[in-house]
Amino acid sequence: MSEAASREADTEARDLLEAIVRTPSVSRDEEAAAERLVEFFEAHGREAWLDEVGNVRAPADDAVLLTSHIDTVPGDIPVRVEETDEGDVLWGRGSVDAKGPLCAMAVAAVRTGASFVGVIGEEVDSKGARHLVEDRETAPGAVVNGEPSGWEGITLGYRGLLAGTYVATSESGHSSRPENNAIQDAIDWWSAVDDEFETDEWHPVFERVTCKPVDFKGGTSSDGLSVEATMDVQLRVPPEYSTDEIREIADGFLENGTVNWDDKVEPVMQSPRTSAARAFRAAIRKQGGEPTLLRKTGTSDMNVYAKAWDCPMVTYGPGDSDLDHAPNEHLPLDEYDRSVAVLETATERLLED
């Protein structure tokens, strides 16, 4: 029998996870899963409620705030527990991103007395996290944000995001004319921006500005008098830049058209020497693991918290992040059990500091 199969299962934690995964909570429809979390806290004698935006609030010892998101992306993956030689595996949308981390934190919160918030909307606009920082008067002592890192991984950094919509208009005319039309202006602008941030293939992705057009519409207007182009773009921003610096560079290549920059999230990079990082390294080793420090190329609610609060923070949670949003999303339950134990140990250490 494998080590995974021989370990004693954390039945309480597994029951909560399966119940939450079985409760759909696609972004903007998280209420049923949120209410199930409130019931879990109340069953353990903890006060909990849904705030005005739908976050689950369960305040307690604010020396540590455990927080993860309730919402998932769409996708119907039949929920089942599959027995394997390596132990049981839970399949279902959100099992990795991020109901595994969410439920592990809820269990650790009731067992240690730490504060807990389950936030909404992380997959779309971080509405829950943004409300949380606006609603609090002071920062917590430390923040543990829940996202899949693998039970031995500790995420310390995320790139930021700058997103906007480019719009240009030009007079209509015969396609044989040499002057640029709006579509060419859009292409030229974006090509210049992309070229500005081009790096060689050996440059770490985390340290690059990566540029992605995510939608494009262009053609002759309905009245036939002009050519129009609209392009939605995203730039991922490494910690060496601010979003304002990237915006200034991108705007500098505009010759025709304008950009409405409507979303910006600052990058974050925490030191590996904070009390939170030290606590998690020690807790992972206690469970027999080898801690790995991670930097993620996307963004998370940790970006929102780091901009608002000057306190130690890490992101942690069970699961393989390569399975985020994937059609085969699944979580080994032994890994989940280990992450609960790591969270308990690390949280207790931080509460004692």
Side-chain angles (χ1 to χ4, degrees):
M1 182 180 294
S2 69
E3 180 186 358
S6 65
R7 288 171 55 85
E8 184 176 348
D10 190 331
T11 304
E12 178 186 46
R14 292 187 180 192
D15 287 348
L16 175 64
L17 175 61
E18 184 173 348
I20 294 297
V21 172
R22 289 188 180 278
T23 307
S25 57
V26 175
S27 301
R28 300 191 175 93
D29 192 17
E30 302 102 329
E31 186 173 357
E35 289 176 343
R36 179 65 183 81
L37 280 172
V38 169
E39 292 171 2
F40 174 77
F41 279 95
E42 290 177 341
H44 286 80
R46 283 276 294 270
E47 182 182 15
W49 68 90
L50 302 188
D51 67 18
E52 51 264 51
V53 301
N55 292 334
V56 176
R57 307 287 281 267
D61 191 332
D62 221 29
V64 180
L65 172 62
L66 302 176
T67 177
S68 185
H69 65 94
I70 305 167
D71 63 315
T72 72
V73 297
D76 184 16
I77 301 173
V79 180
R80 68 187 188 278
V81 176
E82 181 180 281
E83 295 182 3
T84 75
D85 291 341
E86 299 301 315
D88 293 345
V89 177
L90 176 65
W91 290 73
R93 175 56 80 221
S95 54
V96 172
D97 186 18
K99 292 183 176 183
L102 174 75
C103 293
M105 289 188 172
V107 172
V110 299
R111 293 176 180 174
T112 63
S115 286
F116 172 89
V117 180
V119 296
I120 64 160
E122 191 273 347
E123 298 288 2
V124 287
D125 55 12
S126 289
K127 179 179 179 179
R130 295 178 193 275
H131 176 77
L132 179 61
V133 300
E134 291 169 1
D135 190 54
R136 289 183 59 109
E137 295 182 358
T138 59
V143 174
V144 183
N145 181 55
E147 292 283 354
S149 59
W151 79 270
E152 295 176 283
I154 307 164
T155 303
L156 298 178
Y158 286 92
R159 288 193 298 177
L161 170 70
L162 178 65
T165 301
Y166 171 94
V167 178
T169 303
S170 62
E171 291 184 358
S172 60
H174 197 279
S175 61
S176 64
R177 289 170 54 180
E179 299 87 358
N180 268 13
N181 63 21
I183 296 172
Q184 290 171 298
D185 286 332
I187 294 170
D188 286 353
W189 171 71
W190 189 244
S191 295
V193 172
D194 198 28
D195 289 346
E196 174 69 16
F197 296 113
E198 184 178 5
T199 60
D200 62 60
E201 61 181 306
W202 308 113
H203 200 76
V205 175
F206 182 81
E207 297 172 7
R208 303 182 199 173
V209 177
T210 53
C211 312
K212 290 290 181 183
V214 294
D215 192 38
F216 187 93
K217 298 181 180 68
T220 305
S221 61
S222 57
D223 61 11
L225 299 179
S226 62
V227 176
E228 301 171 340
T230 302
M231 178 166 50
D232 294 334
V233 300
Q234 294 183 354
L235 296 97
R236 299 289 176 167
V237 182
E240 68 177 279
Y241 292 99
S242 69
T243 57
D244 284 343
E245 289 172 324
I246 298 300
R247 174 179 179 168
E248 183 176 354
I249 293 169
D251 284 348
F253 292 103
L254 287 170
E255 294 187 6
N256 181 33
T258 60
V259 185
N260 175 30
W261 299 106
D262 55 10
D263 191 9
K264 64 178 185 177
V265 179
E266 297 303 325
V268 56
M269 187 67 217
Q270 289 278 305
S271 167
R273 293 179 292 277
T274 67
S275 58
R278 292 197 305 268
F280 273 86
R281 288 200 300 272
I284 290 167
R285 291 191 179 105
K286 184 177 179 180
Q287 288 298 310
E290 184 57 40
T292 302
L293 303 180
L294 305 174
R295 305 182 303 175
K296 297 294 185 74
T297 58
T299 59
S300 78
D301 283 340
M302 180 170 162
N303 298 71
V304 177
Y305 303 138
K307 182 179 180 181
W309 298 331
D310 183 15
C311 66
M313 60 184 68
V314 299
T315 291
Y316 177 80
D320 179 356
S321 60
D322 286 343
L323 297 175
D324 290 4
H325 308 181
N328 60 334
E329 188 175 2
H330 61 278
L331 177 64
L333 291 177
D334 178 67
E335 177 178 347
Y336 172 68
D337 292 345
R338 287 180 185 268
S339 74
V340 174
V342 167
L343 277 163
E344 287 185 60
T345 300
T347 301
E348 287 169 351
R349 176 170 174 166
L350 287 167
L351 291 173
E352 292 168 358
D353 285 351

